[in-house]
Amino acid sequence: MKILLVGHSIIDNIDFEGIKRILPGGIFYSVLGTLAVKNTSDQVFLLTSMNKENYFLFEKVYSRINRDFLIPADSMPEVFLQISEVGERGERYLNISRPLMIDGIGDWNRFGGILINMITGFDISAGQLKTIRENYSGPIYFDLHTLSRGVDEKLNRDFRPVPDINDWLKNIDILQCNQYELRTIGNSDNTKNIETVLNAGVKYLIVTRGEKGASLYFKDLNEIKIIDKPAKAVKVVNKVGCGDVFGSVFFYNYLCRKDAEFSLEQAIEYSGRAVSVNIFNNIDLFIND
């Protein structure tokens, strides 16, 4: 099977309770999650942008995948993450990127699945997503991520209602968001937001809830149903990239088995591992060779 991952690679400047680090980020974690569970015969393709100066941060992971669609860039987006033990993190960006160019992909239907992670919120446009949908008949997994945040004059990223949300929803099969991002789909009433997503034709809505696990919503005979799965209690060492690992593990397992409940369990298991270790120092634990 061939899988395409789409999203910006970024430089993470992390401040976690006063401890500061510079690390690879963005779609990097979606790649890592896919490598953790894929079969050796599968091929992972990545559409992202990258400059030579910072490639060394990503090389150990990106060297294991197909890099035909790595777009050369003069600079890369950077994010400054202010993270605490509780609550949602603060984000401020440098070098906000333009949408990735999708013209060089060719035959979209060669892929068994396409995962789009809106790392910066500018990874692709709604028009580009429509083009992909028109040329691709397989499943599209979409992580709302930073599309849920606007950008002010100081490049701070605060939550806001996603503009033209239906233009996005009508072209995807599986939507992932966290409990905070869910509020940006329409209004503060999450019950109505869940209805909005599923009424737009999305097959599954996945809402991640941190240490509480995750919920999967779907329609069965026009009735909205839910599968809730708890997370195991772990010591939190890392709070970056865990949702990206979650999404890629869910999607890969779903592509292989078409079993949403099993895929949810696996996603929670692997995101729990991502929370409990310093990922960058333990990359080999996530690579299934």
Side-chain angles (χ1 to χ4, degrees), residues 194-208:
I194 291 166
E195 292 175 355
T196 295
V197 171
L198 298 178
N199 288 340
V202 175
K203 185 174 183 179
Y204 294 113
L205 166 64
I206 303 166
V207 180
T208 59

Side-chain angles (χ1 to χ4, degrees), residues 143-200:
D143 188 339
L144 193 66
H145 211 145
T146 313
L147 185 60
S148 63
R149 295 176 182 259
V151 55
D152 67 16
E153 66 279 359
K154 295 182 179 179
L155 299 186
N156 293 311
R157 308 300 300 270
D158 295 319
F159 288 115
R160 54 82 202 262
V162 177
D164 304 315
I165 184 62
N166 283 316
D167 290 343
W168 298 92
L169 296 177
K170 65 186 180 183
N171 291 307
I172 61 180
D173 300 289
I174 304 172
L175 175 67
Q176 176 185 332
C177 60
N178 67 29
Q179 56 194 328
Y180 304 102
E181 295 159 359
L182 178 60
R183 300 172 188 166
T184 71
I185 286 173
N187 53 53
S188 59
D189 186 337
N190 278 345
T191 299
K192 290 188 179 297
N193 292 342
I194 291 166
E195 292 175 355
T196 295
V197 171
L198 298 178
N199 288 340

Side-chain angles (χ1 to χ4, degrees), residues 52-281:
K52 292 181 179 180
E53 180 182 356
N54 292 298
Y55 181 69
F56 75 96
L57 289 170
F58 301 81
E59 185 172 12
K60 188 170 185 179
V61 171
Y62 287 8
S63 64
R64 299 171 182 268
I65 63 173
N66 184 293
R67 301 180 299 282
D68 288 350
F69 307 132
L70 259 64
I71 302 167
D74 293 329
S75 61
M76 294 178 62
E78 295 189 50
V79 61
F80 293 80
L81 300 173
Q82 188 76 36
I83 302 172
S84 59
E85 290 288 351
V86 297
E88 184 66 352
R89 66 198 187 192
E91 297 188 10
R92 179 174 61 85
Y93 273 73
L94 290 178
N95 303 326
I96 294 291
S97 293
R98 297 178 179 179
L100 297 164
M101 295 178 61
I102 66 171
D103 298 341
I105 297 297
D107 179 15
W108 291 91
N109 282 310
R110 83 182 88 165
F111 303 110
I114 297 175
L115 182 151
I116 300 169
N117 195 339
M118 298 298 287
I119 299 296
T120 63
F122 300 98
D123 308 73
I124 63 170
S125 67
Q128 287 176 308
L129 178 59
K130 180 182 178 183
T131 296
I132 295 171
R133 179 78 286 172
E134 289 173 344
N135 291 278
Y136 179 63
S137 59
I140 296 176
Y141 190 103
F142 191 88
D143 188 339
L144 193 66
H145 211 145
T146 313
L147 185 60
S148 63
R149 295 176 182 259
V151 55
D152 67 16
E153 66 279 359
K154 295 182 179 179
L155 299 186
N156 293 311
R157 308 300 300 270
D158 295 319
F159 288 115
R160 54 82 202 262
V162 177
D164 304 315
I165 184 62
N166 283 316
D167 290 343
W168 298 92
L169 296 177
K170 65 186 180 183
N171 291 307
I172 61 180
D173 300 289
I174 304 172
L175 175 67
Q176 176 185 332
C177 60
N178 67 29
Q179 56 194 328
Y180 304 102
E181 295 159 359
L182 178 60
R183 300 172 188 166
T184 71
I185 286 173
N187 53 53
S188 59
D189 186 337
N190 278 345
T191 299
K192 290 188 179 297
N193 292 342
I194 291 166
E195 292 175 355
T196 295
V197 171
L198 298 178
N199 288 340
V202 175
K203 185 174 183 179
Y204 294 113
L205 166 64
I206 303 166
V207 180
T208 59
R209 305 186 188 279
E211 69 278 1
K212 295 181 180 179
S215 302
L216 184 144
Y217 299 88
F218 61 99
K219 273 191 171 183
D220 184 11
L221 298 177
N222 289 322
E223 179 183 353
I224 294 178
K225 296 192 174 181
I226 179 174
I227 298 174
D228 280 320
K229 294 291 179 181
K232 294 179 181 178
V234 297
K235 180 180 179 181
V236 176
V237 174
N238 168 59
K239 295 186 73 174
V240 177
C242 306
D244 307 310
V245 170
F246 176 103
S248 54
V249 170
F250 179 98
F251 191 44
Y252 179 81
N253 280 282
Y254 181 77
L255 292 175
C256 292
R257 298 179 56 148
K258 299 298 187 291
D259 184 333
E261 184 168 2
F262 173 81
S263 301
L264 188 65
E265 291 169 351
Q266 290 296 298
I268 291 172
E269 167 69 24
Y270 276 84
S271 60
R273 296 183 193 181
V275 166
S276 62
V277 298
N278 183 311
I279 293 181
F280 191 69
N281 292 341

